[in-house]
Amino acid sequence: MGSSSVFSVASASLSLHDTNIKKNLNFGTNAFRFNNDGTNTFSNFKSSRRISMAVAVNVSRFEGIPMAPPDPILGVSEAFKADTNAVKLNLGVGAYRTEELQPYVLNVVKKAENLMLERGENKEYLPIEGLAAFNKATAELLLGADNPAIKQQRVATVQGLSGTGSLRLGAALIQRYFPGAKVLISNPTWGNHKNIFNDAGVPWSEYRYYDPKTVGLDFEGMIEDIKSAPEGTFVLLHGCAHNPTGIDPTPQQWEKIADLIQQKNHIPFFDVAYQGFASGSLDEDAASVRLFVARGMEVLVAQSYSKNLGLYAERVGAINVISSSPESATRVKSQLKRLARPMYSNPPVHGARIVANIVGDPVLFGEWKAEMEMMAGRIKTVRQELYDSISSKDKSGKDWSFILKQIGMFSFTGLNKNQSDNMTNKWHIYMTKDGRISLAGLSLAKCEYLADAIIDSYHNVS
Amino acid sequence: MRPPIILESTTTFSSSSSSSSSSSYSSCDRRLNTLARHLIDVNDQNQMASQNISPSPTASSNSVFAHLTRAPEDPILGVTVAYNKDPSPIKLNLGVGAYRTEEGKPLVLDVVRRVEQQLLNDVSRNKEYIPIVGLADFNKLSAKLIFGADSPAIQENRVTTVQGLSGTGSLRVGGEFLAKHYHQRIIYLPQPTWGNHPKIFTLAGLTVKTYRYYAPATRGLDFEGLLEDLGSAPSGSVVLLHACAHNPTGVDPTLEQWEQIRQLIRSKSLLPFFDSAYQGFASGSLDADAQPIRLFVADGGELLAAQSYAKNMGLYGERVGALSIVSKSADVASLVESQLKLVIRPMYSSPPIHGASIVAAILKDRDLFNDWTIELKAMADRIISMRQQLFDALRARGTPGDWSHIIKQIGMFTFTGLNSEQVSFMTKEYHIYLTSDGRISMAGLSTKTVSHLADAIHAAVTRVA
């Protein structure tokens, strides 16, 4: 039969691994057993002349793999959980907390899920591009239902795995169709942006963004860096509530940024993770994206419903590509699908249905807007309280007003790594090493404690 | 497909923000080169054949996307797209492998509905991000399901399990992990295999080769060819194995043959990567369908296994699955987990909670688990009965040829042996939708529709070459 030539394993291998074999003799019910001498039920089978265990080598193929460090953002929550101190405070990951510091599932989300269960919808595969009702709703939410780009069918929308997954699809599109193009990302930016473009194989470099002296925007630096990038560069912009700084360009600055991007034939790539969460208004928070689209520019936009609908773990988002013709949008969408299929085939249905149900029902939509205003409102209140607390306690004359000027879930405190470590080690306050705190995780009750910690870390640690 | 192919020299982009040196490689050149590369990309032969490569005349010349062509529909999922467009009242969708009831309707398992209600009623639940690797209890329970509760690999903490986006996502994460950390970046896929496999592994960064699997002459396993091809694979190569109910052929090795495959793989230090999408669906027994994998785990060696709950729990659209990597030691398992997180985080950060919560609830409760196995067996039995009915119907019509493979093959699919012309004929004349390789999903058949299908096959075989 020719198979004997294949079994040339020395039976010496058996003796080396005796202990392994004896330990691994049974494996569940309907057991297929190896005998102690290494033979098995099939050893006498005609086609195998040599009876051999052919056990794998003892050394793992993966032994040389280094231990990866914990994720700098998600690792913070893990460290927080491990801390047993009663005063601990988690200002790490950007997940909204109530004043009682509890996670919050929106009432409107619970209503939608109950409706879905009552209706008894099935669990069939979604199309590769996701739930059609969701895609329609999400594009309209982003651009406005009467946006000419939508009416002209120039918007290609593909449901993605929240912001990350949508960014990754956009990055994969860039890698495949714009080889050699790089992405300009802000310094600083969300920690995972670099990982996404690295793994997608898209080179990146940074544009100046944060000015530590003013704890504000380095607009001149930003403009210079965008200007000096080669024509046709993708520029990653945060639609609102910049993460981690909370510092957004003004409307006038957005106009200048758009002017420059048009001049240089750059392609804007928006990351919109906080629409509705920054100001409390969905339309206001989408102004920057709409400004670019209104100029007829071609734009990529990644959206996430993690924060504004509290759907974090459901992984709901979308990648939108607004191009110059409906025909182009069709082609782009087809290529996005071609990238999604070998990644996960089609996206998860549950979260997308929740969004579609809420946005599609005027009553639920109104309730959502109210809950979102409440969440954004709580954060603004806490911001104010923190500022009041710090400025009344700190007699050094330092200007802390940047806390009020920043917007969204996060505040960039201006604390450096050592100071941030002090926050954790001495005060049991968990935050990321870049000095970012999540106000969503702060209660009014804890503002004073936080103020004390920040003042101490800023002044007494270098 | 990484790193990107750059056809002209460009400046290297460092992380410094002011790169004043301009490249002589303009965006126009880049687009033209992409177009050219697109033409010679061997992975896109199908596209090439059916595409007009040049941009449409109506596309704005100002668009940065002008050079993108329109991709054809996915060959498998595209069947459903075409089916949906067909207005015929007698149309039949035997394309994608999704279970249908005797009434031709999608099925949500009763046990799944009950669990969903329970989850909704549980006020302690929220929607906070779950860990990058997914729900811990889901992962443990999934490993036990596939490897057996008393698996020594589990007991010795040598199993790393991460929640993945159904089978596809789990395979992709495994592939990317191997491309990054494994020394031999070649994966052997059976010929034929699920259409998405080559794309998944190519995009993950592995080189795809094939081993002989299906013998058209016998409509069975080409065992000699399989042994020869794996026997001549470079040492350390990865080998993709369908754990049971091979897709698309439905042809599985016997246990005796699996043992020989195992010996060969271990002797050549090949790395097995199992795709388990039909556990419990093939024979009706969860344990029986897991035997081949457990055979490999029993010898103490390493392997990867991707699991999907799309079919066996009917959770298709929820995208629930798992990737398990069995290593030599608990220490290595820990290293592996930390690196898997680095693959997952830049892809989608963390997996979706809903489907995994349903699975975990069912697997951990003895009564729910039993109820599940009963519903699972009912689905598997209905498919086996469809096989018999189709076979009988063809025999009754005296359709030329040996159709016994219909009842010998196992799982959701039958590889009919029909060629693409016959398939087109069946679609056009009989409104029956299937993939062009002649694969039909038995799960889409019912007692009422069997005769329609048998008529179509009979006509195709007798009228089309």
Side-chain angles (χ1 to χ4, degrees):
Chain A
M1 278 174 95
S3 51
S4 55
S5 60
V6 169
F7 298 105
S8 52
V9 179
S11 50
S13 64
L14 192 58
S15 55
L16 284 174
H17 308 296
D18 254 348
T19 47
N20 273 345
I21 294 162
K22 282 179 185 158
K23 275 195 286 181
N24 299 327
L25 282 183
N26 59 332
F27 59 106
T29 56
N30 303 325
F32 166 84
R33 298 196 176 273
F34 287 106
N35 305 313
N36 279 350
D37 64 358
T39 58
N40 58 53
T41 322
F42 305 121
S43 299
N44 295 323
F45 195 63
K46 247 191 339 189
S47 65
S48 70
R49 272 221 245 131
R50 302 276 303 267
I51 297 165
S52 60
M53 271 297 296
V55 177
V57 287
N58 224 3
V59 180
S60 169
R61 308 135 199 277
F62 305 120
E63 219 151 54
I65 294 178
M67 178 69 87
D71 183 271
I73 302 174
L74 303 178
V76 171
S77 287
E78 285 169 28
F80 171 81
K81 279 202 195 95
D83 187 331
T84 51
N85 193 296
V87 299
K88 65 177 181 174
L89 189 55
N90 187 359
L91 303 181
V93 74
Y96 180 83
R97 292 284 175 274
T98 61
E99 174 64 27
E100 295 73 35
L101 297 186
Q102 292 303 310
Y104 183 63
V105 178
L106 276 69
N107 291 320
V108 76
V109 167
K110 291 182 196 165
K111 283 191 186 174
E113 285 189 299
N114 273 299
L115 274 173
M116 283 157 57
L117 200 54
E118 275 164 42
R119 261 188 238 123
E121 285 165 347
N122 66 45
K123 295 189 180 298
E124 293 302 287
Y125 291 123
L126 287 179
I128 303 176
E129 68 264 32
L131 184 67
F134 167 81
N135 287 345
K136 178 173 189 294
T138 200
E140 291 180 356
L141 212 59
L142 176 69
L143 300 173
D146 50 359
N147 194 300
I150 293 183
K151 295 209 153 99
Q152 293 159 14
Q153 300 182 302
R154 294 192 287 112
V155 183
T157 303
V158 168
Q159 180 188 337
L161 286 146
S162 205
T164 306
S166 305
L167 286 161
R168 181 60 178 265
L169 280 184
L173 189 76
I174 294 171
Q175 190 275 339
R176 182 174 273 186
Y177 290 104
F178 299 87
K182 73 175 174 183
V183 176
L184 269 184
I185 59 181
S186 66
N187 181 11
T189 194
W190 178 46
N192 203 25
H193 278 144
K194 296 176 186 176
N195 301 328
I196 293 169
F197 290 109
N198 283 342
D199 272 30
V202 177
W204 52 267
S205 70
E206 291 173 297
Y207 59 87
R208 280 166 284 172
Y209 194 81
Y210 172 65
D211 185 350
K213 287 189 245 74
T214 60
V215 197
L217 177 61
D218 177 3
F219 189 57
E220 293 311 314
M222 178 180 184
I223 292 297
E224 252 181 68
D225 292 344
I226 293 179
K227 185 181 284 184
S228 63
E231 199 188 283
T233 294
F234 288 82
V235 184
L236 191 71
L237 302 159
H238 298 226
C240 67
H242 183 273
N243 177 1
T245 67
I247 298 160
D248 285 348
T250 63
Q252 297 80 359
Q253 287 172 328
W254 274 122
E255 295 275 3
K256 292 213 175 80
I257 294 166
D259 286 341
L260 179 57
I261 287 181
Q262 271 183 303
Q263 254 172 53
K264 297 280 311 189
N265 288 324
H266 289 337
I267 302 147
F269 190 162
F270 280 94
D271 183 354
V272 177
Y274 301 99
Q275 189 186 359
F277 217 93
S279 67
S281 154
L282 286 161
D283 289 318
E284 212 179 295
D285 287 349
S288 59
V289 175
R290 295 179 187 182
L291 186 162
F292 280 66
V293 173
R295 288 169 176 234
M297 295 170 76
E298 294 187 303
V299 185
L300 281 74
V301 188
Q303 290 170 281
S304 165
Y305 288 89
S306 288
K307 285 84 173 175
N308 60 11
L309 254 175
L311 293 177
Y312 308 94
E314 302 288 356
R315 319 309 293 127
V316 207
I319 175 75
N320 302 272
V321 180
I322 297 105
S323 50
S324 59
S325 72
E327 195 269 334
S328 174
T330 303
R331 285 183 284 111
V332 169
K333 186 161 171 167
S334 75
Q335 295 298 347
L336 285 169
K337 283 164 66 170
R338 215 174 123 230
L339 289 160
R341 174 54 159 160
M343 207 185 282
Y344 49 82
S345 281
N346 36 69
V349 64
H350 194 73
R353 277 195 180 138
I354 294 173
V355 177
N357 275 297
I358 290 171
V359 176
D361 177 313
V363 173
L364 292 179
F365 189 45
E367 286 179 23
W368 175 31
K369 286 197 269 200
E371 283 191 90
M372 189 154 50
E373 273 176 46
M374 180 275 294
M375 291 192 288
R378 191 183 91 65
I379 288 177
K380 284 187 205 160
T381 305
V382 146
R383 234 180 228 290
Q384 185 68 51
E385 180 66 26
L386 177 63
Y387 169 76
D388 290 343
S389 215
I390 291 188
S391 43
S392 70
K393 283 168 185 268
D394 182 30
K395 308 298 179 203
S396 75
K398 176 178 161 69
D399 180 8
W400 296 95
S401 65
F402 62 84
I403 294 178
L404 294 179
K405 292 190 202 130
Q406 290 166 2
I407 191 170
M409 214 177 240
F410 302 109
S411 178
F412 225 38
T413 55
L415 295 175
N416 63 34
K417 183 178 181 308
N418 287 340
Q419 295 165 335
S420 300
D421 283 342
N422 184 63
M423 296 282 286
T424 306
N425 299 333
K426 181 170 173 188
W427 296 86
H428 302 275
I429 295 177
Y430 290 79
M431 52 190 283
T432 48
K433 306 295 179 204
D434 54 5
R436 183 192 88 166
I437 53 173
S438 170
L439 296 173
L442 183 61
S443 59
L444 286 171
K446 297 265 192 178
C447 281
E448 237 194 274
Y449 180 71
L450 178 59
D452 287 337
I454 291 176
I455 292 168
D456 170 57
S457 305
Y458 180 76
H459 288 298
N460 301 333
V461 179
S462 57
Chain B
M1 283 189 180
R2 294 182 288 144
I5 301 167
I6 298 174
L7 299 178
E8 293 184 16
S9 63
T10 59
T11 35
T12 312
F13 300 116
S14 65
S15 62
S16 81
S17 51
S18 57
S19 109
S20 54
S21 53
S22 63
S23 169
S24 60
Y25 186 52
S26 75
S27 54
C28 252
D29 289 340
R30 184 178 62 228
R31 280 179 232 146
L32 285 171
N33 278 319
T34 310
L35 216 50
R37 196 167 66 87
H38 196 74
L39 285 167
I40 62 171
D41 187 336
V42 295
N43 287 325
D44 297 324
Q45 277 168 6
N46 283 342
Q47 278 200 53
M48 251 174 61
S50 55
Q51 285 303 300
N52 164 23
I53 301 295
S54 54
S56 150
T58 59
S60 165
S61 55
N62 289 329
S63 174
V64 300
F65 303 111
H67 60 298
L68 272 68
T69 63
R70 181 168 186 172
E73 287 292 346
D74 179 271
I76 301 174
L77 303 177
V79 171
T80 296
V81 173
Y83 168 85
N84 286 336
K85 293 202 181 107
D86 187 333
S88 164
I90 57 163
K91 64 179 179 177
L92 188 56
N93 187 0
L94 303 180
V96 73
Y99 183 82
R100 292 287 175 271
T101 60
E102 185 56 35
E103 295 70 39
K105 297 258 177 290
L107 176 69
V108 177
L109 299 187
D110 183 69
V111 71
V112 166
R113 281 270 182 258
R114 280 187 282 144
V115 165
E116 278 193 308
Q117 189 64 65
Q118 271 176 31
L119 292 174
L120 212 49
N121 296 341
D122 183 354
V123 295
S124 72
R125 289 182 61 78
N126 58 48
K127 294 192 182 295
E128 294 303 288
Y129 291 121
I130 65 179
I132 301 174
V133 297
L135 293 176
D137 54 356
F138 168 84
N139 291 337
K140 283 198 168 55
L141 292 160
S142 293
K144 281 167 70 171
L145 185 68
I146 190 79
F147 298 124
D150 47 0
S151 172
I154 292 179
Q155 278 156 16
E156 291 157 20
N157 294 316
R158 294 189 289 111
V159 181
T160 309
T161 306
V162 297
Q163 182 185 334
L165 291 154
S166 205
T168 306
S170 305
L171 290 163
R172 178 63 179 264
V173 169
E176 297 237 351
F177 170 82
L178 291 174
K180 258 176 144 179
H181 298 292
Y182 188 55
H183 66 281
Q184 185 62 280
R185 289 150 63 153
I186 304 175
I187 183 164
Y188 280 80
L189 308 180
Q191 182 78 281
T193 193
W194 180 44
N196 204 19
H197 277 144
K199 299 172 197 169
I200 293 170
F201 292 114
T202 302
L203 286 204
L206 298 175
T207 301
V208 166
K209 293 189 186 257
T210 61
Y211 59 92
R212 276 168 286 169
Y213 191 83
Y214 179 69
T218 59
R219 290 176 180 162
L221 181 63
D222 178 1
F223 193 48
E224 291 313 309
L226 181 155
L227 293 175
E228 259 179 63
D229 289 347
L230 293 187
S232 58
S235 171
S237 302
V238 186
V239 181
L240 185 83
L241 302 158
H242 294 226
C244 68
H246 181 273
N247 177 2
T249 69
V251 171
D252 284 347
T254 61
L255 269 183
E256 294 86 348
Q257 289 171 325
W258 272 120
E259 166 59 12
Q260 282 186 258
I261 294 169
R262 181 197 69 77
Q263 287 184 28
L264 173 56
I265 283 180
R266 296 310 193 193
S267 71
K268 303 279 305 187
S269 294
L270 304 176
L271 178 61
F273 193 156
F274 282 94
D275 184 356
S276 174
Y278 301 98
Q279 187 186 2
F281 223 108
S283 67
S285 154
L286 289 160
D287 287 319
D289 288 350
Q291 288 297 66
I293 292 183
R294 296 179 187 183
L295 189 66
F296 279 72
V297 175
D299 69 15
E302 298 181 319
L303 59 87
L304 286 81
Q307 285 168 276
S308 165
Y309 291 95
K311 284 86 174 173
N312 60 11
M313 262 203 216
L315 292 175
Y316 307 94
E318 302 287 357
R319 317 312 291 130
V320 209
L323 170 72
S324 285
I325 301 187
V326 180
S327 326
K328 276 290 174 177
S329 71
D331 286 341
V332 173
S334 197
L335 297 174
V336 166
E337 188 186 65
S338 76
Q339 289 293 344
L340 285 172
K341 287 182 185 173
L342 293 192
V343 170
I344 294 168
R345 174 59 158 154
M347 206 185 279
Y348 51 85
S349 278
S350 56
I353 188 176
H354 195 71
S357 303
I358 296 173
V359 173
I362 291 173
L363 294 182
K364 70 161 56 118
D365 179 292
R366 205 202 342 219
D367 293 333
L368 292 174
F369 184 87
N370 282 337
D371 291 346
W372 172 45
T373 58
I374 292 168
E375 287 190 80
L376 180 54
K377 184 152 194 316
M379 290 194 286
D381 285 347
R382 196 182 86 69
I383 286 175
I384 291 171
S385 147
M386 285 303 110
R387 286 185 178 282
Q388 191 63 50
Q389 288 184 39
L390 179 61
F391 174 71
D392 293 342
L394 290 170
R395 242 208 328 207
R397 282 157 181 71
T399 308
D402 174 8
W403 297 97
S404 60
H405 56 283
I406 292 179
I407 45 181
K408 286 194 207 137
Q409 288 166 7
I410 191 169
M412 212 177 244
F413 301 110
T414 291
F415 223 35
T416 55
L418 297 167
N419 63 40
S420 57
E421 288 80 25
Q422 292 166 327
V423 168
S424 292
F425 169 85
M426 282 172 58
T427 305
K428 263 188 68 191
E429 305 296 324
Y430 285 82
H431 304 276
I432 296 185
Y433 290 80
L434 61 156
T435 46
S436 60
D437 56 3
R439 181 193 85 165
I440 52 174
S441 170
M442 305 307 289
L445 264 185
S446 70
T447 306
K448 295 190 204 66
T449 52
V450 163
S451 31
H452 178 50
L453 176 60
D455 288 340
I457 293 178
H458 187 90
V461 165
T462 52
R463 285 158 55 183
V464 182

